[in-house]
Amino acid sequence: MFHLPCCMKTETLLFISLIIPFVFLAQEDSDNQWNETEEAYHQRMKWWKEARLGMFLHWGVYSTFGGEYQGEDHGKEMGGASAEWIYLRADVPENVYREAARNFNPIAFNAAEWIRIAKQAGVKYMVLTSKHHDGFALFDTKASDWNIMKATPFQKDIIKAYVDECHKQDMKVGFYYSHEKDWFHHAKAARDTSPLSDEYINLVKTQLKELFTNYGKIDVIWFDTPVGEHLEFNKICAAIVRKYQPECIINGRIGNNLGDYQNFGDRQVIDPGKKGYIESIMTMRLNWGYDHNDDYWKSAAEVIGYISAAACRGSNFLLNVGPTPEGRFPIEDRLRFKAIGEWLDIYGDAVYKTEGSPFAEEHHWGSFTTKPGKIFLHLFNWHGGPIQVKGVTSTITKATYMDTGAPLTFSQNKKAAEVNIKLPYNKEKGQIKVILLEYDGELELDMNQGPDFIPEKITHLTARMVKGKASNIKDISFDIIEEAGTHYTFELSEYTKFRINDQGRITRVLGFNIQEDQQYKIIYTPYAKPKVEIVTHMK
Ligand code: FHN
């Protein structure tokens, strides 16, 4: 048994310092040695760890395509393709893409409104693409004419409006900056590990300096798609940020362990039991950038469940929106942000400024967060009936529903490290509930008698594609000519148009005119309620 005091344990701090040794790196620029003490590092990370919920924004010239080029949909995330990748995936000619910038005229863009929506949703920091892989800068830059001022009719510095408004509304402000991939100024390739040209390195240096000297205080920089071979370049990027804004937090995807916190895969809620500063990143539907064909929206309940699970796993949750080319948030995003805000109005105390559960397993009903004197039981997997909390040995004085404050009947067996709580068998419809347990003294946990439920991974919720040729139309089966990575058995429901068995075979189709010997590609998503559709006849 060990005692976990109100704030973070020494063991935890030690562990963090072990896995994040890079905060002490010596920078290239000798005038700018980065010698932060461990204490200063944790102090710098404090607001970020307490924040728990961020908003990611993917917006740029790609948004004008809405995931589609020449009538073909390229925005379904099949093995990496996504709406914001259209320049590469659809191999759009450079002159056509440049011309598309002429259509990027976001007259409805209203930074005040974006930040107002974020604030209402309970978001504590925002990260907007200042430059994505297409190299287009949403800011006024001297490094290249491929920017909002020179290449579009809009001619207003979007980054300036966004940062100013974040400052005004007291929102922590972040930039996404694609430092490795730049399909305009560097290489039009999915991955390029060759040495970077001096010309490109200078462009990045100029742009980072601009971003960190022209707009006031910047709280987070979100680099992406790191390349291990580019250590020196990654160090240059870090050095510029550290030099001009030493308080700024750098994400892990700068590469080569130079960041302040860890990111894992896209659309992944981190597994329980991980230590350190962690951020899970998730799309509201499939794509990051705006895609007018993508109606694979996650429900508000699903997203709230992820926020709740992420907090229990000690992770921040960065939730993406792809604004329309005009600069609006799609209504579906707004509805979900509204629901998130309503949930956090009630349950915010169980999310912000909390510690995640230190156990690597969870309970079948969910998991918990803690803060001094309080244990919050997040029922994100609860389906009704009494629950048992394993591993807690602090003396529980009170159990209440957080929303109503109504007391709950409970019993405790300290020896077995169990708290049993009576809950109704009939689960009401509605929001995920959180129960507040209050305890005396320090938080005491028994790590040997903790929960033992291994939750399903929440990982890479992306679409998969199979290609097939229709044959034997009577049974409507397909010969799969390209296997998808994983296969799922789908139940036919209002959400599915096809049933696919676990070999990836389509065994039933509703209302679709399939012809013998025609080739098709089929896209499906591995969600709880999957949708499957024939997208195109293959040429
Ligand atoms: O390729 C990008 C993608 O477009 C998007 O920006 C995501 C966000 O995490 N990052 C990259 C893939 O990991």
Side-chain angles (χ1 to χ4, degrees), residues 8-18 38 42 277:
M8 200 184 277
K9 289 280 300 176
T10 339
E11 291 94 306
T12 319
L13 293 178
L14 269 175
F15 190 83
I16 290 170
S17 69
L18 280 178
E38 192 168 348
H42 294 303
Y277 297 112

Side-chain angles (χ1 to χ4, degrees), residues 56 58 77 80 82 84-85 129 132-133 176 181 222 224-225 253 266 281 288:
F56 214 176
H58 277 71
E77 280 275 351
S82 195
E84 72 285 357
W85 275 61
T129 46
H132 201 262
H133 307 334
Y176 170 107
K181 279 197 221 335
W222 218 97
D224 205 3
T225 57
R253 290 203 190 167
D266 285 353
I281 48 179
W288 301 94

Side-chain angles (χ1 to χ4, degrees), residues 44 65 171 336 388 482 488:
R44 189 164 57 84
F65 289 83
M171 171 69 76
R336 284 155 182 79
Q388 185 171 73
E482 191 179 293
Y488 297 88

Side-chain angles (χ1 to χ4, degrees), residues 66-120:
E68 200 172 307
Y69 181 57
Q70 295 185 328
E72 191 151 354
D73 180 19
H74 290 270
K76 289 274 167 78
E77 280 275 351
M78 300 157 301
S82 195
E84 72 285 357
W85 275 61
I86 196 148
Y87 181 47
L88 189 89
R89 291 293 172 198
D91 201 14
V92 179
E94 186 183 321
N95 63 322
V96 175
Y97 204 76
R98 277 191 189 280
E99 207 41 49
R102 297 266 142 229
N103 298 328
F104 191 60
N105 191 21
I107 43 172
F109 168 61
N110 179 343
E113 178 70 355
W114 281 17
I115 285 111
R116 192 189 60 75
I117 295 171
K119 286 209 90 145
Q120 273 188 1

Side-chain angles (χ1 to χ4, degrees), residues 386-441:
I387 61 165
Q388 185 171 73
V389 187
K390 292 284 298 164
V392 173
T393 49
S394 305
T395 306
I396 305 299
T397 55
K398 210 171 164 191
T400 47
Y401 278 122
M402 261 188 96
D403 53 350
T404 59
L408 287 158
T409 308
F410 69 95
S411 61
Q412 182 167 22
N413 177 345
K414 280 200 182 192
K415 222 174 177 182
E418 282 171 12
V419 181
N420 293 292
I421 302 164
K422 268 196 187 165
L423 288 180
Y425 280 92
N426 289 335
K427 188 188 170 205
E428 306 160 35
K429 280 208 164 138
Q431 296 172 331
I432 289 166
K433 285 196 180 278
V434 182
I435 289 168
L436 168 62
L437 299 184
E438 288 169 65
Y439 65 85
D440 273 344

